[in-house]
């Protein structure tokens, strides 16, 4: 996990994006950084965690409400990235939206 998350006490929402990439970067890295910055500026954004190996990528973003998630999905710059993702960057992806009812943390 690569980011510290500023989550409120539950409930809040998680958007789980799991994907298989196509070969090559093809501008993906630059767009990914831009989308992470843009998401962090959106109302209701609470944070993000991401991991990827050579077969599977998983990004979880955290949001205050379902309305905030809907607004992010409909953001015009994000829509451009989504369309390019379908055409160039992903072989497959799946999105799951979950309500987090409870969480806990261990730090050794």
């Amino acid at each position: 996990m690569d980011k510290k998350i500023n989550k409120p006490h539950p409930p809040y929402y998680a958007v789980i994006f799991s994907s298989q990439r196509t070969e090559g970067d093809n501008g993906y890295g630059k767009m990914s950084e831009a989308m992470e910055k843009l998401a962090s500026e959106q109302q209701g954004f609470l944070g993000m965690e991401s991991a990827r190996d050579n077969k599977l990528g998983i990004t979880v973003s955290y949001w205050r409400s379902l309305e905030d998630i809907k607004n992010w999905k409909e953001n015009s710059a994000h829509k451009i990235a989504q369309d390019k993702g379908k055409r160039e960057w992903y072989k497959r992806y799946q999105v799951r939206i979950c309500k987090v009812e409870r969480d806990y943390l261990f730090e050794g």
Side-chain angles (χ1 to χ4, degrees):
M1 293 183 220
D2 53 24
K3 301 265 185 282
K4 190 163 190 136
I5 307 302
N6 182 25
K7 295 182 301 236
H9 294 293
Y12 55 89
Y13 293 87
V15 177
I16 305 166
F17 179 82
S18 56
S19 64
Q20 286 183 308
R21 287 278 322 278
T22 57
E23 295 296 320
D25 182 78
N26 302 316
Y28 176 84
K30 192 173 190 177
M31 181 67 85
S32 178
E33 287 177 18
M35 288 300 103
E36 185 173 339
K37 182 179 183 319
L38 182 62
S40 73
E41 298 167 353
Q42 301 306 298
Q43 180 176 333
F45 179 81
L46 302 172
M48 180 181 292
E49 298 171 304
S50 191
R52 176 170 291 286
D53 66 16
N54 59 355
K55 294 181 182 179
L56 176 67
I58 299 174
T59 298
V60 183
S61 60
Y62 300 97
W63 300 86
R64 198 168 310 160
S65 72
L66 290 172
E67 184 70 22
D68 295 330
I69 293 168
K70 180 178 180 251
N71 290 338
W72 170 237
K73 181 175 175 33
E74 294 174 357
N75 176 286
S76 59
H78 186 212
K79 280 188 162 293
I80 290 168
Q82 291 171 52
D83 291 342
K84 193 161 184 172
K86 289 175 185 175
R87 287 191 321 268
E88 296 182 35
W89 296 322
Y90 299 112
K91 291 180 187 177
R92 173 184 187 279
Y93 69 79
Q94 185 167 12
V95 177
R96 297 170 183 94
I97 299 173
C98 310
K99 184 175 185 181
V100 177
E101 298 281 351
R102 182 174 155 230
D103 68 10
Y104 54 91
L105 170 70
F106 168 79
E107 289 184 309

